[in-house]
Amino acid sequence: MGYLGNHLATVVTAVFAAILTALWPYFVDFAPILNFVFIMAVPIMWFLVFTCWISQKSTDYMHKHAHHSEKKSLSNAQTVQTTTTGTQVSLSEIKQVQTELSSELNNLKETVKLKDSEIERLNQEISNLQTLVQIESLKTELANLKMLASKKK
């Protein structure tokens, strides 16, 4: 629950509606257009106050009802009922499944670490092979240059 029991929007709109309602008699004599604006604005603001209030009441009712049934099922039977199948699962079963999933996750992390090290090793081999290819290319080019130099002499 937040400030004012989650009715902050209702309070803000109610204050604005009350101010408009209180100011209306003072501005009636100034201009007919202002009277029309107040005729439109005041009922609309009070309608917004009612709408905010009723929607918050509805939300509070739905959340109170949902939390109440959830707390009741957890405290009495220490089981959780799934919404899709309607089956009940005990907390010990949940803990067991959680433990199994954590061990699987740890195994996957180790596998990923092994794969990462293997990828790093393969990248190093590729780098070495590229260096060897470049060296052989330079040797071939040097041999070709020596051949050309010997032909010119």
Side-chain angles (χ1 to χ4, degrees), residues 117-130:
S117 64
E118 188 175 339
I119 288 171
E120 184 63 35
R121 184 185 59 80
L122 290 173
N123 282 336
Q124 185 64 35
E125 281 186 33
I126 288 170
S127 171
N128 291 341
L129 287 174
Q130 286 175 347

Side-chain angles (χ1 to χ4, degrees), residues 68-81 88:
H68 178 68
S69 65
E70 197 175 285
K71 286 179 184 176
K72 183 179 176 183
S73 67
L74 284 176
S75 63
N76 289 345
Q78 291 200 355
T79 59
V80 177
Q81 184 170 0
Q88 290 189 348

